Amino acid sequence: MNPKPKISIHELTKVFYKKHNSVTALENISIDIEEGEFVCLVGPSGCGKTTLLRIVAGLENQSSGGFRIQKSNMDRPNQSMVFQERGILPWLTVAENAAFGLNMRHLPKAQVKERTDYFLNKVGLTKFAHMYPKELSGGMKQRVSIARAFANDPEILLMDEPFGALDEQNRHILQEELLSIWAETKKTVLFITHSIDEALYLSDRVLLMSAQPGKITAEIKIDLPRPRKLEDIRSNPEMADVFLYIWQHLQTEVQGSRL
């Protein structure tokens, strides 16, 4: 018998109401995500990707339908969310930010320090542990967010364009670090991106979303061995076809939303 999906979303719809108007952000979303799977959501701006992540994170309520997270360890939090920016607290040091979730769970100090030190080392921030966010670059702040998310040891990682504001070189460095930690921890990841290259490089599966109201219109399995190299993906004829397919999907959805 197949194990139950880690995340199961069934006919989920979200409608926002404002005075006498309503906007359907998501419509009948149904997806299953397996334990340890890395799934990327790709769609035009405003299609409801972030709303979907916020619902799964418990930050927003759906209007109808629902989702289930198959919990495997009652001592772990369900999920941690990594945002594109503003994800770390300016009054805390790098180490304090990375330890924030662990401290909120009131874990023993020795365990907090061990896990915090381990993941700060993984993202190359050990020597910056006592610095404050205002002293860090954008890429370093995102490393803190990633270290905090993994240190908290959640069942699921929800990542909302975490590298979207970075230059290409820093983006690729953090992608490699993320994949390295993911390969070790095998967390279940739901990752939003506007970058087709990023989706092909990171994911086991890409889910394409329509323009508003957001629906899942296609899913693409990325059958490439790991570890991957970005240059190998770019030179792979099959991946070039997939890239073009996703590009044309986005173009069609963006143009259709303007009519």
Side-chain angles (χ1 to χ4, degrees):
M1 187 172 68
N2 291 331
K4 292 181 179 178
K6 188 65 178 176
I7 306 172
S8 184
I9 300 172
H10 182 64
E11 294 185 357
L12 189 146
T13 294
K14 176 64 179 179
V15 182
F16 289 101
Y17 295 94
K18 186 176 181 181
K19 293 185 179 180
H20 303 296
N21 297 321
S22 65
V23 175
T24 302
L26 299 167
E27 188 171 72
N28 293 331
I29 300 287
S30 293
I31 52 176
D32 288 335
I33 298 173
E34 302 303 323
E35 176 95 41
E37 193 176 16
F38 199 124
V39 174
C40 282
L41 277 173
V42 178
S45 296
C47 72
K49 300 184 297 296
T50 296
T51 299
L52 181 59
L53 244 65
R54 287 178 59 83
I55 290 172
V56 176
L59 301 175
E60 193 89 51
N61 293 321
Q62 67 269 27
S63 301
S64 63
F67 69 94
R68 185 188 70 246
I69 295 173
Q70 189 69 21
K71 200 156 177 59
S72 59
N73 187 330
M74 297 308 294
D75 293 329
R76 290 179 182 170
N78 262 1
Q79 63 272 320
S80 289
M81 192 159 179
V82 180
F83 299 93
Q84 181 172 336
E85 54 188 16
R86 300 185 299 277
I88 59 176
L89 303 172
W91 58 89
L92 298 181
T93 66
V94 166
E96 289 167 343
N97 265 288
F100 184 78
L102 298 170
N103 285 328
M104 290 294 288
R105 291 161 57 197
H106 305 292
L107 296 181
K109 288 184 178 180
Q111 184 179 351
V112 172
K113 185 174 188 330
E114 179 185 2
R115 289 194 63 79
T116 301
D117 288 351
Y118 179 80
F119 284 103
L120 286 180
N121 180 60
K122 278 284 185 183
V123 298
L125 288 178
T126 298
K127 63 182 180 180
F128 303 98
H130 300 294
M131 296 179 70
Y132 286 87
K134 66 181 180 181
E135 302 172 277
L136 307 178
S137 68
M140 292 169 74
K141 290 176 185 176
Q142 287 305 83
R143 290 177 188 218
V144 178
S145 293
I146 291 169
R148 180 176 63 190
F150 278 102
N152 200 30
D153 197 22
E155 299 265 327
I156 297 162
L157 274 176
L158 304 170
M159 310 190 78
D160 188 3
E161 289 195 83
F163 311 140
L166 303 179
D167 62 77
E168 187 169 359
Q169 184 176 8
N170 272 307
R171 174 192 286 251
H172 186 53
I173 289 169
L174 287 186
Q175 288 168 347
E176 288 183 324
E177 289 174 350
L178 172 61
L179 285 180
S180 174
I181 301 173
W182 172 78
E184 180 182 315
T185 62
K186 285 301 179 186
K187 299 293 182 191
T188 305
V189 180
L190 185 55
F191 188 107
I192 290 175
T193 180
H194 277 103
S195 167
I196 303 174
D197 273 336
E198 185 167 68
L200 299 181
Y201 178 54
L202 295 178
S203 65
D204 297 312
R205 190 160 45 115
V206 178
L207 301 178
L208 300 184
M209 290 185 69
S210 65
Q212 193 180 88
K215 303 175 184 178
I216 303 296
T217 59
E219 65 171 69
I220 304 162
K221 190 159 182 63
I222 309 302
D223 288 317
L224 291 175
R226 296 181 185 272
R228 299 170 183 169
K229 292 183 178 180
L230 190 57
E231 54 267 32
D232 292 339
I233 291 173
R234 288 174 172 172
S235 63
N236 183 311
E238 289 184 15
M239 288 300 102
D241 290 341
V242 173
F243 184 103
L244 183 59
Y245 174 79
I246 297 174
W247 173 259
Q248 289 173 338
H249 162 81
L250 292 174
Q251 289 288 95
T252 300
E253 290 297 327
V254 169
Q255 290 169 2
S257 69
R258 292 178 176 175
L259 297 177

